[in-house]
Amino acid sequence: QVQLVESGGGLVQAGGSLRLSCAASGGTFSSYVMGWFRQAPGKEREFVSGINWSGGTTHYADSVKGRFTISRDNAKNMVYLQMNSLKPEDTAVYYCAADSRNWIVRVGTVEYDYWGRGTQVTVSS
């Protein structure tokens, strides 16, 4: 089975930066669409960013556009989320996800086959 493990979460002040990493194993990583989602307490899980198999196509939620950057390194089976200019409203558990069936980046959680267990990001004011 495909396994995803996130790292890089933690505490940061508003305006600061964090870089999340997701390590994949057990599948053909280079063929998967990859995504980042987040879920704050009492709220539904929401799409943050996605990237296609080659890294040539990326998508971002409006709330993070211009501040976050997704990237991938297929040779290392890694996907990253660089988060800059962090705001308190970015506080959430961030999840790495993989879509093994589609070529185009999807934004719905139901489209993704595999999920990491999440990493907590807390932004203080």
Side-chain angles (χ1 to χ4, degrees), residues 25-81:
S25 63
T28 308
F29 174 81
S30 61
S31 68
Y32 297 164
V33 169
M34 300 296 296
W36 287 97
F37 293 76
R38 67 186 183 186
Q39 187 167 23
K43 296 186 177 181
E44 296 181 352
R45 191 170 299 184
E46 66 174 351
F47 174 82
V48 175
S49 185
I51 188 167
N52 77 333
W53 67 271
S54 69
T57 302
T58 59
H59 294 275
Y60 299 92
D62 288 342
S63 59
V64 307
K65 195 170 298 181
R67 300 187 297 121
F68 291 9
T69 303
I70 190 171
S71 61
R72 67 190 298 163
D73 186 339
N74 289 339
K76 298 180 179 179
N77 290 351
M78 297 288 291
V79 62
Y80 308 97
L81 185 68

